[in-house]
Amino acid sequence: MTECQKLTAISSSNSKALLRFINILAAKRPLSDTSDIPVGEATLQYLICRDMYFKLSKCMSSIVGAIGSRQLQLSDHEQPISPKGKSKPSITLPGLIELCVAPFKQFRSSQPAYHQSLTQVMVHIMTIPLLPNRILSSLADFNNHVPFGALDLVDLATVSNVVAVDVSTLHLLANLITFVSPRHAPNTQLPMTNAALLSYISLLNNILSVIPSNSLEIWKEDLTSVNPWANDDSDEEDHPSAPRSVRSRPSIFPTDEKTAAKLSNLVSQANMDSLLIAANRSPSTWQQFLQLVINIGAKWPAKRESVLSTIVVGSGNFIFKQLWRDSVRRSPLGADISGSALRNPQFKNDWPALLLLTELYTQALLTMTDDEFFSNAARTGSTAARNPFIIGEVVLFSRQLLNIAFYLYWNEDANSIQSCTIPGLPVSWELVRERFTKCLQAIHARE
């Protein structure tokens, strides 16, 4: 029997009985009343080693579940095959989900099979388009038994290496946001450990670092030209001869509104606020959160300013002071004009805090009056002062930015600065120079 025929057989009248038999074998019970042979463990080990999750993924992708394909809004190549062209709830779905979560009931979390199963769920099951919609009738069973609160057990390198950089990556991201975001929300009943949260944000960063820019929303052909000076504060008439370009079509993007909506939850105020609070509990998760914000801005430019605003609204001046005092002030980046530390991978963890502080302070300066700029909470005693820094701190911060910008203007060739990125982030040196220069100009305008 070919693989295609095996997949087609899942809809046959015998498939439910076959799945039930497999699930009975996989249950946590001995072979007989007088035997202590772990039949359940042995059965699952046998199936896992023979691509169980890959085959489950094919079966689950070939059925609709509790709702029709029109409600799923699947693209043509993702449509399940129905003999009469009609969609029916699958009688095999509960058995498939039961087998999918069986290892997490059978094995202890310290056993390798448990880790391997969770990694395979990420690779093969979480990449299924609109997974929650497909398994609606068994959603609670899946959500309650897959240990999303233990993502630190996932082999992130395997996930990154196996999942192709195509639309499957977007489905993985959308499904992760759907299932995991409730677990880091305030007052959640399904809390995550700091280690699990670190792995989750690291996985988000791994995904965002490999996808092309502008691939997180449905592509709409832009018939109007885009002015490359649009990010400047100056009027277009100041650059009458500036070239105009059209935004290029990304190689991948969500093909349906529901996936796009799930992806948009990544940058929602509720999600960003809860991530900010949860990530701030440990230095390692905080570092990954900063990198996540930079990655979102780099890969989803349309959402950059709204994400920055959300962070400021959610944390106030605290975020400025934390970035400055805990990271930027002590960083070797910009410590001198030589630029020796800029390309050193040893200091790649210093870049997210410096970039984010620059972005946030530039945005704050745009709406800050001169009186607000030259006053601060430390001197006035007001907790609502707009400028989070004293003037001495502004001077030190400006010197760091100036040293880096000067080096990039005078020591980098045009091709290198456009094509090369800073260590650890998908941000070009050209964009770094542009952002730092813009911040310096906003500060200088106050003098």
Side-chain angles (χ1 to χ4, degrees):
M1 181 182 289
T2 66
E3 188 68 24
C4 182
Q5 289 172 324
K6 291 178 182 178
L7 293 176
T8 304
I10 198 67
S11 301
S12 70
S13 59
N14 296 326
S15 59
K16 188 174 182 180
L18 178 61
L19 272 173
R20 185 180 178 186
F21 175 70
I22 294 174
N23 282 316
I24 289 174
L25 287 179
K28 194 170 186 178
R29 65 187 68 182
L31 183 62
S32 69
D33 293 339
T34 59
S35 173
D36 59 356
I37 299 176
V39 178
E41 289 189 16
T43 302
L44 286 172
Q45 286 276 18
Y46 178 88
L47 294 173
I48 292 170
C49 292
R50 286 159 178 77
D51 299 324
M52 179 182 81
Y53 282 105
F54 171 76
K55 293 168 184 175
L56 282 174
S57 172
K58 294 298 183 182
C59 293
M60 292 167 66
S61 297
S62 68
I63 61 177
V64 179
I67 54 178
S69 57
R70 290 186 179 180
Q71 290 173 284
L72 279 173
Q73 297 182 349
L74 300 177
S75 58
D76 291 341
H77 70 280
E78 295 169 331
Q79 292 286 357
I81 301 174
S82 177
K84 297 182 180 180
K86 296 182 179 180
S87 302
K88 296 180 180 180
S90 171
I91 60 173
T92 59
L93 181 61
L96 293 173
I97 297 301
E98 184 180 353
L99 185 56
C100 181
V101 302
F104 310 118
K105 300 176 183 179
Q106 177 70 262
F107 300 106
R108 296 184 301 275
S109 60
S110 59
Q111 292 181 272
Y114 191 99
H115 301 189
Q116 183 182 0
S117 297
L118 187 54
T119 300
Q120 292 301 307
V121 165
M122 295 296 123
V123 170
H124 296 298
I125 306 302
M126 293 291 283
T127 52
I128 295 175
L130 294 169
L131 176 63
N133 305 68
R134 287 180 183 271
I135 64 172
L136 200 57
S137 61
S138 301
L139 182 59
D141 194 27
F142 181 83
N143 189 47
N144 291 336
H145 290 102
V146 175
F148 290 108
L151 290 181
D152 51 306
L153 304 180
V154 173
D155 185 344
L156 299 184
T158 297
V159 176
S160 299
N161 292 333
V162 174
V163 177
V165 184
D166 55 20
V167 72
S168 299
T169 307
L170 300 184
H171 293 311
L172 172 59
L173 180 58
N175 290 327
L176 277 171
I177 296 167
T178 300
F179 285 104
V180 181
S181 58
R183 287 168 166 78
H184 61 69
N187 304 318
T188 179
Q189 300 299 313
L190 301 167
M192 302 179 72
T193 63
N194 285 336
L197 182 64
L198 174 61
S199 291
Y200 171 59
I201 303 178
S202 298
L203 184 53
L204 296 183
N205 279 321
N206 291 349
I207 294 171
L208 290 173
S209 66
V210 298
I211 62 174
S213 296
N214 299 305
S215 60
L216 294 174
E217 56 188 1
I218 292 180
W219 172 257
K220 295 179 181 178
E221 196 68 36
D222 188 1
L223 300 179
T224 61
S225 296
V226 178
N227 190 342
W229 297 97
N231 290 333
D232 290 347
D233 295 329
S234 55
D235 296 330
E236 287 189 29
E237 58 196 28
D238 293 340
H239 308 284
S241 59
R244 303 177 72 84
S245 59
V246 177
R247 187 164 59 107
S248 60
R249 179 190 180 104
S251 57
I252 60 172
F253 52 88
T255 55
D256 62 273
E257 296 286 352
K258 289 188 176 182
T259 298
K262 294 178 190 298
L263 290 171
S264 68
N265 288 331
L266 174 64
V267 294
S268 68
Q269 182 169 348
N271 188 61
M272 293 304 297
D273 283 347
S274 64
L275 270 179
L276 188 151
I277 294 170
N280 211 9
R281 295 170 187 161
S282 77
S284 54
T285 53
W286 178 247
Q287 176 65 34
Q288 284 295 321
F289 173 75
L290 299 182
Q291 186 174 336
L292 177 64
V293 175
I294 299 301
N295 277 326
I296 291 173
K299 295 306 176 78
W300 206 346
K303 300 294 184 180
R304 182 176 67 90
E305 290 194 8
S306 65
V307 169
L308 296 177
S309 298
T310 297
I311 291 174
V312 172
V313 170
S315 61
N317 282 351
F318 172 79
I319 185 74
F320 292 92
K321 296 176 181 178
Q322 183 175 7
L323 290 172
W324 168 250
R325 294 169 185 171
D326 293 350
S327 302
V328 176
R329 182 172 60 180
R330 301 180 299 175
S331 173
L333 301 177
D336 55 61
I337 202 170
S338 70
S340 58
L342 299 188
R343 292 184 179 275
N344 192 336
Q346 178 183 350
F347 305 121
K348 68 178 183 178
N349 289 336
D350 292 74
W351 279 108
L354 179 59
L355 287 170
L356 182 56
L357 182 59
T358 303
E359 296 270 28
L360 292 174
Y361 198 52
T362 302
Q363 190 178 66
L365 288 171
L366 295 177
T367 58
M368 192 185 301
T369 66
D370 287 344
D371 289 340
E372 290 171 331
F373 178 80
F374 288 104
S375 66
N376 59 75
R379 188 169 63 187
T380 64
S382 169
T383 58
R386 290 290 308 281
N387 193 351
F389 301 138
I390 60 175
I391 298 304
E393 290 173 325
V394 175
V395 172
L396 291 175
F397 181 46
S398 301
R399 187 174 300 158
Q400 277 185 274
L401 298 184
L402 183 61
N403 286 341
I404 295 173
F406 181 85
Y407 177 86
L408 293 177
Y409 272 109
W410 289 98
N411 295 280
E412 295 291 323
D413 63 85
N415 292 332
S416 173
I417 202 170
Q418 290 177 5
S419 60
C420 297
T421 59
I422 65 176
L425 289 171
V427 179
S428 69
W429 290 108
E430 183 179 37
L431 187 59
V432 170
R433 186 178 68 180
E434 174 192 325
R435 300 298 187 206
F436 286 8
T437 301
K438 188 174 182 179
C439 186
L440 286 167
Q441 290 172 335
I443 294 173
H444 180 72
R446 305 293 177 169
E447 297 179 347

